[in-house]
Amino acid sequence: MMPSDQYIRFFRDYSEKLRRVDCREESFELLERYLLLPSQAIYLLDRRSMSIPYKRGIERLLGYSDDEFNINLIAGYVHPDDSERYVYLTKLTNEWGRAINPEPFSVEVQIDYRVRKKDGSYIKVIRQSTNFENCVDKSIKSAINILTDITQIKTDNSVNLSVFNVKTGKVLLEEKDTLPMTFRFSKREMEILRLLKIGMRSSEIAGRLFISRHTVDTHRRKMLEKTGCKNIMELVHHASRLGII
């Protein structure tokens, strides 16, 4: 299953649960008052309806019209090399949030990653999020998201997460991508790495992917060279820890 499909499925399951619960509806007046810089855009992700009922600055920042900027787009516009970790971190923060159900504006989530603009180019953004509307059982109905272009500030390709208490500044959850930039794999390498994770041998992987065993071994060697890992066990461990596989 592609990361974008995982993203949609994850939120769809939660959406179905929320539809059975009474939820508060807040005015968008607060969102209208928020002053955006030229490098920023804001949108509201409604998890109950699987929609984006409010957005501003998106076309200026990314080039997409309001009609084009929907949940299917944001599920798939993350850079392919960032998408698996991005979905992993998104699921991690949402599962964490569902466990504690914080009050609106009490917690801020920050994730940095690369997104595709309408013209096909990519920019590095940081997404700052906080829940906006809760339901009567304190489930999170919607979240405010502010995108800021940090391309000129942060040039590496890491994908990082920080969650902190807005009032105290205390870090509540953190996942830093501490491995080097070279810990980035091609589509074929990712396929092989996933099969290595479930214990398949090179000959079995070759048969599954319809390639030669020599090709599999070459990819294995290159992945070890890229990451500096000593063996496949260490490679799989690090990739799993980061949510890459």
Side-chain angles (χ1 to χ4, degrees), residues 179 182-185 189 192-193 196-197 219-242 244-245:
L179 291 185
T182 51
F183 209 96
R184 298 290 183 272
F185 303 119
E189 288 171 338
I192 292 171
L193 191 56
L196 288 170
K197 182 179 181 180
H219 282 301
R220 289 176 58 150
R221 186 184 73 252
K222 287 183 176 179
M223 284 190 284
L224 292 177
E225 290 173 353
K226 277 184 180 183
T227 61
C229 291
K230 298 181 180 65
N231 51 53
I232 293 299
M233 183 179 296
E234 182 180 349
L235 173 65
V236 169
H237 169 74
H238 283 310
S240 298
R241 177 175 59 82
L242 288 175
I244 294 171
I245 54 174

Side-chain angles (χ1 to χ4, degrees), residues 3-244:
S4 57
D5 296 327
Q6 295 177 30
Y7 182 95
I8 292 293
R9 181 174 179 178
F10 180 76
F11 280 106
R12 183 179 292 120
D13 291 343
Y14 187 56
S15 172
E16 291 174 359
K17 174 188 172 184
L18 289 181
R19 289 170 190 167
R20 299 191 293 269
V21 182
D22 289 333
C23 300
R24 292 195 293 270
E25 299 283 344
E26 301 289 348
S27 166
F28 294 158
E29 181 182 355
L30 175 66
L31 306 182
E32 288 287 351
R33 292 203 309 265
Y34 186 86
L35 180 62
L36 289 176
L37 297 173
S39 60
Q40 292 182 314
I42 187 172
Y43 67 92
L44 184 71
L45 175 60
D46 190 311
R47 298 168 181 173
R48 190 185 197 192
S49 63
M50 293 279 288
S51 67
I52 303 179
Y54 180 88
K55 65 211 77 171
R56 183 160 51 91
I58 295 295
E59 188 163 11
R60 178 181 61 194
L61 183 66
L62 301 175
Y64 301 106
S65 68
D66 286 353
D67 289 339
E68 292 172 318
F69 193 77
N70 54 42
I71 194 165
N72 291 311
L73 177 68
I74 66 173
Y77 76 161
V78 178
H79 193 287
D81 290 345
D82 297 354
S83 59
E84 290 212 21
R85 179 160 169 80
Y86 171 76
V87 170
Y88 161 72
L89 294 177
T90 299
K91 291 169 68 175
L92 177 69
T93 53
N94 277 271
E95 288 168 349
W96 175 85
R98 294 173 196 181
I100 67 170
N101 291 323
E103 290 295 321
F105 303 102
S106 64
V107 170
E108 181 175 325
V109 177
Q110 296 184 354
I111 304 181
D112 58 86
Y113 52 100
R114 289 171 292 173
V115 298
R116 184 183 66 252
K117 298 174 63 174
K118 187 174 181 178
D119 65 9
S121 64
Y122 285 88
I123 62 171
K124 181 87 169 186
V125 299
I126 185 168
R127 192 195 78 207
Q128 298 167 273
S129 308
T130 188
N131 50 317
F132 179 60
E133 298 166 309
N134 280 10
C135 299
V136 293
D137 64 353
K138 295 189 177 181
S139 298
I140 301 170
K141 175 182 178 289
S142 67
I144 299 171
N145 299 272
I146 299 170
L147 296 177
T148 303
D149 183 356
I150 58 171
T151 306
Q152 304 305 317
I153 302 171
K154 189 168 186 179
T155 57
D156 68 69
N157 296 334
S158 61
V159 181
N160 305 284
L161 163 73
S162 295
V163 182
F164 59 91
N165 183 298
V166 172
K167 185 175 181 179
T168 66
K170 179 181 178 181
V171 176
L172 306 174
L173 182 66
E174 191 169 50
E175 277 268 350
K176 297 294 185 181
D177 187 348
T178 56
L179 291 185
M181 288 172 59
T182 51
F183 209 96
R184 298 290 183 272
F185 303 119
S186 68
K187 181 179 178 180
R188 178 63 83 188
E189 288 171 338
M190 287 296 301
E191 291 174 335
I192 292 171
L193 191 56
R194 292 189 188 99
L195 296 176
L196 288 170
K197 182 179 181 180
I198 62 175
M200 293 184 69
R201 299 188 297 272
S202 289
S203 58
E204 295 172 321
I205 294 172
R208 173 74 68 87
L209 299 179
F210 302 104
I211 57 179
S212 70
R213 175 170 179 168
H214 174 73
T215 299
V216 175
D217 288 339
T218 298
H219 282 301
R220 289 176 58 150
R221 186 184 73 252
K222 287 183 176 179
M223 284 190 284
L224 292 177
E225 290 173 353
K226 277 184 180 183
T227 61
C229 291
K230 298 181 180 65
N231 51 53
I232 293 299
M233 183 179 296
E234 182 180 349
L235 173 65
V236 169
H237 169 74
H238 283 310
S240 298
R241 177 175 59 82
L242 288 175
I244 294 171

